[in-house]
Amino acid sequence: MDTDDHVDIRGRIRAHGARQLTIARMNAPADWQDELRRALAGHRESATIFSNNDLRLFVQSFAIFFTATMLFVM
């Protein structure tokens, strides 16, 4: 392979990254900060002591602990 046939991969990667950035900027909403705030506010839950996942995890952990304790006692 001659040195004349060498492909500058770094230049191609930079050009691809620049194209991807331009496409991302074109697809982004004009007011992206408010859009992001609304999306984050939509995902927030009210802070309770036990949410659904926490309660389920507690019940499963207690069931495992209770079963292991009963097997040990027997």
Side-chain angles (χ1 to χ4, degrees):
M1 182 168 164
D2 296 331
T3 56
D4 297 333
D5 295 336
H6 182 63
V7 176
D8 183 22
I9 190 73
R10 285 180 264 166
R12 288 185 176 199
I13 290 173
R14 275 190 222 106
H16 177 72
R19 284 191 302 274
Q20 293 297 99
L21 182 60
T22 302
I23 290 169
R25 284 181 178 161
M26 290 172 65
N27 289 336
D31 194 13
W32 63 271
Q33 289 177 334
D34 285 338
E35 184 75 25
L36 180 61
R37 284 187 188 109
R38 279 193 294 272
L40 289 174
H43 287 290
R44 288 190 188 122
E45 294 180 6
S46 61
T48 60
I49 295 175
F50 288 116
S51 66
N52 291 336
N53 291 333
D54 291 340
L55 183 61
R56 181 175 161 215
L57 180 62
F58 173 75
V59 169
Q60 288 175 346
S61 299
F62 183 77
I64 292 170
F65 173 76
F66 183 76
T67 304
T69 303
M70 290 298 114
L71 288 175
F72 178 75
V73 169
M74 291 178 154

